[in-house]
Amino acid sequence: MVDSGYLGIKNLQPNSRIPIKRSAKHPLSGEDKRINRSIASERVLNENVIGCVKRFKILSDRYRNRRKRFGLRFNLIAGIYNCEIGENDGNFDKREKRGAGS
């Protein structure tokens, strides 16, 4: 799923989904608008995750450390994000909250 700026991606990836663009002579039908809305609703989830990961500056800035450790650091950031999401959704495991002594 991409936005309408990636028109040439269909040549590289035939499975990609692109929103339908309107023109002055060809306005969008109701079905086209429904398709565009479904693509946008799926894309917004991915865009929100990318925005949250960019908070850690590993994707938004140039990575200047050892390349060998990039994967480890990125996985740690993804784990932090997943833990944050789990706490917000109420899916956080109750055994971990009680601690080892309980």
Side-chain angles (χ1 to χ4, degrees):
M1 287 175 285
V2 296
D3 61 5
S4 56
Y6 292 96
L7 292 178
I9 200 164
K10 281 285 191 186
N11 300 333
L12 300 173
Q13 291 289 341
N15 295 336
S16 59
R17 293 177 59 195
I18 299 177
I20 302 164
K21 292 176 86 171
R22 73 170 183 93
S23 67
K25 294 181 180 180
H26 302 288
L28 292 178
S29 66
E31 180 67 19
D32 293 340
K33 289 179 182 181
R34 188 190 62 77
I35 292 170
N36 284 354
R37 188 171 296 272
S38 70
I39 291 172
S41 65
E42 291 177 31
R43 278 191 68 235
V44 73
L45 298 173
N46 296 333
E47 296 293 335
N48 287 340
V49 170
I50 290 169
C52 288
V53 171
K54 280 187 176 182
R55 252 189 307 177
F56 291 94
K57 303 292 185 195
I58 195 168
L59 293 178
S60 57
D61 289 340
R62 179 178 288 231
Y63 186 72
R64 297 183 180 269
N65 295 316
R66 294 184 182 147
R67 271 189 252 150
K68 186 164 37 170
R69 296 186 183 165
F70 178 80
L72 172 68
R73 290 190 173 128
F74 193 82
N75 286 339
L76 289 172
I77 290 170
I80 291 169
Y81 176 77
N82 288 337
C83 183
E84 182 179 298
I85 291 298
E87 288 177 0
N88 290 340
D89 289 345
N91 295 331
F92 196 68
D93 193 10
K94 306 250 188 286
R95 289 175 286 156
E96 292 177 5
K97 282 187 176 180
R98 279 187 279 157
S102 301

